[in-house]
Amino acid sequence: MKLVIGNKNYSSWSLRPWLLMRVLELPFEEVLIPLYTPGSREKLLAIVPSGKVPALIDGDLKVWDSLAIVEYLAEQYPGVPVWPADSEPRAIARSVAAEMHSGFSALRTHMPMNCRAELPGKGHTPEVLADIARITTLWADCRARFGGSGPFLFGAFSAADAFYAPVVTRFLTYAVPL
């Protein structure tokens, strides 16, 4: 398999499946296409119909959405703990990952991912603070209900943790008090 990504310092969508595949030790070749450079859009369109990253290529199959990639990996590697094993925590883990995938637009807009920057105090709008409150409440609930067996949201590392890893980097970049 090949995972086509942009720069992991700036592309939260690229970081999610890359981190999951690395932590779970799934075999893949990383294909880096630097974003916002001359010709990058054309290179991406030649590889994947959306022209965006990430994209997973497995033979002739191309999967071009981070959540779809994660679900494909879960199907291809049923013995690998992409999601929690038990149905209740697995359903909640999928819900929290989907909420990250489709939500928190204020956080993403006003606190873009930049692992190399230090921007304390920037982007702390009321809408962003509401997103942060929801995220920290969500994390606390997952840890309290399902995290007793390890240090991650559901105990062991899962796709839910990979989906929120870019949020952690944002909290560090923007010095979010927790």
Side-chain angles (χ1 to χ4, degrees):
M1 282 192 269
K2 294 181 181 180
L3 183 64
V4 181
I5 62 170
N7 187 305
K8 294 180 291 281
N9 289 311
Y10 310 112
S11 176
S12 61
W13 299 111
S14 292
L15 181 61
R16 290 176 175 104
W18 179 89
L19 182 62
L20 180 72
M21 293 176 82
R22 289 289 299 223
V23 171
L24 297 180
E25 299 180 346
L26 299 178
F28 72 100
E29 175 188 339
E30 177 182 318
V31 178
L32 174 65
I33 298 181
L35 304 176
Y36 313 113
T37 60
S40 64
R41 177 94 172 130
E42 292 75 18
K43 288 178 189 174
L44 285 169
L45 283 169
I47 296 171
V48 64
S50 69
K52 297 180 180 180
V53 292
L56 183 73
I57 302 170
D58 189 10
D60 291 333
L61 176 66
K62 296 176 182 177
V63 183
W64 60 89
D65 175 85
S66 57
L67 195 53
I69 290 168
V70 167
E71 290 297 348
Y72 179 76
L73 294 171
E75 291 171 355
Q76 296 306 301
Y77 297 95
V80 175
V82 171
W83 297 109
D86 294 336
S87 64
E88 182 181 348
R90 185 172 55 250
I92 300 300
R94 283 182 164 137
S95 292
V96 301
E99 186 172 353
M100 179 66 250
H101 190 262
S102 64
F104 307 118
S105 61
L107 177 77
R108 286 189 271 159
T109 299
H110 298 289
M111 292 183 171
M113 190 170 122
N114 184 342
C115 296
R116 294 182 175 161
E118 292 182 16
L119 304 167
K122 291 200 178 255
H124 292 232
T125 68
E127 297 82 9
V128 169
L129 296 176
D131 279 354
I132 291 167
R134 171 64 187 140
I135 290 166
T136 57
T137 298
L138 184 147
W139 288 352
D141 180 60
C142 291
R143 291 287 305 139
R145 292 171 60 197
F146 307 109
S149 64
F152 296 100
L153 292 173
F154 294 85
F157 182 85
S158 75
D161 301 291
F163 267 74
Y164 283 92
V167 174
V168 173
T169 71
R170 285 176 167 99
F171 286 0
L172 294 171
T173 298
Y174 297 92
V176 173
L178 300 174

